[in-house]
Amino acid sequence: MAEPVVRIPDAKVALSTASVYPESTATAFEIAARLGYDGVEVMVWNDPVSQDIDALRRLSDHHRIPILAVHAPCLLITQRVWSTDPWTKLQRARAAAEKLGASTVVVHPPFRWQRQYARDFVTGIWRMADETDVRFAVENMYPWRYRDREMLAYAPDWDVTKDDYRHFTIDLSHASTARADAMQMVDRMADRLGHVHLADGNGSAKDEHLVPGRGSQPCAELLERLALTGFDGHVVIEVNTRRAMSGAEREADLAEALAFTRLHLASPSSPASPATVSSPAAPAAAPPSKPPAPPSKPSGSSTPTASSASTGSASSDVPSGAAMPSSRSSSPSSPKSRAAFRRPKARRR
């Protein structure tokens, strides 16, 4: 059986409900199902539906689209959602994920002013991860900037790779805002990378969350890396569509983001070994009807050598089946090659 041309990982492509803001959580489910996303990540925020497990289950059942991840309410605007206690928020996020069949809870590192929470955060996340099969994937953040000033708002650090977590979320828009090298961050996360927030950025101090392909981040490169390594987490489209002038324009942006992700979340199959790659064979020279006449002058050894034969190699830039020119001519019509291909005169008996 022929091997497939490309390798596509088991990773599912989901839509974050935050991507339809200021539309509702219910609208996100509707759009995700209509466009063909594999699932939804629920951003738990001020929309009451996002906080209601029963309402979320009904939406999932109605649109026949699974909930793959729950984003805990870690934003400034969600400080009072579910509780004011950060550990209670994470416990409720875990319970929601377990009841809804989601495999991942996304969590931000604490704000620096949450001193006790920040002090216990790393050990606390490990403790909670040990109590469930749900992944707690800690997300990279960024310094807050205003003009020439910078504030380190997160603790232990906005760069979560500086601490020891079981699973990470990489957010490319956050990496752009931090002016960090996203691929180096992915290298540091290594096999603990469990979740991806896919969005683009141009290095602005504002967290841009552009449609992938519209900024300077290595969105395509990351997706191809994930395909090559057999990534089994989720890739979540988390983009900003607040400037969309209509529902149709918002939906077009989300369709474009999905198409981009599907296109690049693939890698070529392992190339065949040199022994199995064959180039078109050069036609054999027709044998002469009679032995060639001896040369008028001795011309040195006439034994063919490896260097006198064509050794053209296959190239990925050449269409399959196309003839590939040799670096040296092997045609018996040239004077030099006649000497190499000349046969000795047969002896008469």
Side-chain angles (χ1 to χ4, degrees), residues 60-334:
S60 177
D61 292 343
H62 176 74
H63 293 287
R64 298 182 180 180
I65 190 164
I67 297 170
L68 301 179
V70 173
H71 196 308
C74 305
L75 307 176
L76 280 174
I77 63 171
T78 61
Q79 291 299 290
R80 295 185 177 276
V81 172
W82 276 353
S83 174
T84 56
D85 176 60
W87 290 115
T88 301
K89 290 173 182 283
L90 295 189
Q91 290 165 359
R92 293 191 63 171
R94 180 188 64 192
E98 290 171 342
K99 292 177 181 178
L100 294 168
S103 63
T104 303
V105 168
V106 179
V107 57
H108 293 180
F111 291 111
R112 187 166 291 278
W113 54 83
Q114 296 174 303
R115 294 182 181 179
Q116 187 61 45
Y117 177 48
R119 189 176 299 117
D120 301 334
F121 184 69
V122 176
T123 56
I125 290 293
W126 272 99
R127 184 180 64 251
M128 294 189 71
D130 287 336
E131 298 169 353
T132 180
D133 291 332
V134 174
R135 293 177 172 180
F136 280 87
V138 185
E139 184 174 5
N140 63 300
M141 298 305 291
Y142 49 84
W144 291 2
R145 292 190 180 93
Y146 178 72
R147 295 182 180 175
D148 58 344
R149 296 183 180 181
E150 182 176 286
M151 174 184 176
L152 301 179
Y154 299 96
D157 203 286
W158 62 264
D159 182 354
V160 293
T161 63
K162 293 183 178 179
D163 292 286
D164 182 26
Y165 301 107
R166 182 173 294 175
H167 292 106
F168 293 108
T169 297
I170 182 70
D171 186 307
L172 270 69
S173 179
H174 293 177
S176 174
T177 304
R179 297 168 190 169
D181 187 309
M183 297 307 294
Q184 289 183 7
M185 187 172 287
V186 168
D187 288 340
R188 294 194 296 273
M189 292 178 176
D191 59 358
R192 291 182 291 171
L193 175 61
H195 201 68
V196 175
H197 280 172
L198 192 67
D200 220 326
N202 286 311
S204 169
K206 296 180 180 179
D207 188 16
E208 297 171 283
H209 282 275
L210 304 177
V211 171
R214 297 185 185 178
S216 59
Q217 289 302 291
C219 297
E221 182 182 351
L222 173 61
L223 292 171
E224 290 162 6
R225 169 89 67 89
L226 297 178
L228 188 64
T229 57
F231 178 69
D232 63 352
H234 304 316
V235 178
V236 179
I237 303 299
E238 191 183 70
V239 296
N240 184 345
T241 62
R242 281 178 287 181
R243 293 186 179 182
M245 301 300 293
S246 65
E249 184 178 342
R250 172 175 292 107
E251 197 161 322
D253 285 347
L254 298 177
E256 179 184 333
L258 177 60
F260 180 98
T261 305
R262 297 257 191 243
L263 175 64
H264 294 286
L265 191 60
S267 69
S269 294
S270 300
S273 63
T276 63
V277 177
S278 60
S279 58
S289 57
K290 60 180 180 178
S296 56
K297 294 181 181 180
S299 55
S301 174
S302 62
T303 303
T305 63
S307 62
S308 66
S310 172
T311 58
S313 59
S315 168
S316 60
D317 295 329
V318 180
S320 175
M324 291 177 289
S326 302
S327 58
R328 298 182 184 179
S329 173
S330 59
S331 170
S333 61
S334 65

Side-chain angles (χ1 to χ4, degrees), residues 5-29:
V5 177
V6 295
R7 181 190 295 110
I8 300 174
D10 293 332
K12 290 181 170 58
V13 182
L15 178 66
S16 169
T17 58
S19 296
V20 305
Y21 180 84
E23 297 292 340
S24 67
T25 300
T27 300
F29 276 82

